[in-house]
Amino acid sequence: MDLTNPLPLLNEAVAALKAPLTEEDRSQGWTDDLRREIQEEISLSRSTLRRHGLNTARYLRPRLEEWLDKEGVRPGRLRSLVSTVQACLETTARTT
């Protein structure tokens, strides 16, 4: 993962979250509404970084992990990807 440019990871996450959920995703606690909401949140962060530069990462406050915890989403491919996005945004915020 390139921490100097989180945009490819955000692109990957948005694409993965736009795709329909699998039965495995649903069994891990994902719903279509939650998938769309998380995708929109990551998409907003991506747009902010594209328009205003990576220095704006310090103003983003991703709380995706907390959100997934509250929704009861269990570990799996999407949860792992979302966790990686949050960690990347937090690291970018600290290093810019």
Side-chain angles (χ1 to χ4, degrees):
M1 171 176 35
D2 179 8
L3 296 180
T4 61
N5 184 8
L7 293 175
L9 176 62
L10 297 179
N11 291 338
E12 177 187 341
V14 168
L17 289 162
K18 280 186 177 181
L21 294 171
T22 65
E23 284 304 313
E24 186 175 346
D25 298 328
R26 290 183 191 286
S27 71
Q28 293 162 357
W30 287 90
T31 64
D32 288 325
D33 287 340
L34 178 61
R35 176 188 55 82
R36 276 190 293 274
E37 290 171 356
I38 295 287
Q39 183 267 322
E40 287 173 10
E41 194 70 25
I42 293 172
S43 194
L44 285 172
S45 295
R46 179 181 66 173
S47 293
T48 299
L49 295 175
R50 280 185 179 159
R51 286 190 178 107
H52 305 290
L54 296 180
N55 288 336
T56 58
R58 69 184 78 150
Y59 300 106
L60 300 174
R61 298 286 183 246
R63 299 287 185 253
L64 304 172
E65 290 263 339
E66 290 176 25
W67 192 351
L68 296 179
D69 286 342
K70 286 180 185 176
E71 294 291 330
V73 175
R74 291 178 299 287
R77 71 178 184 96
L78 291 178
R79 173 92 192 225
S80 176
L81 182 58
V82 170
S83 296
T84 302
V85 165
Q86 181 168 321
C88 183
L89 289 173
E90 290 169 350
T91 300
T92 301
R94 284 191 304 269
T95 59
T96 56

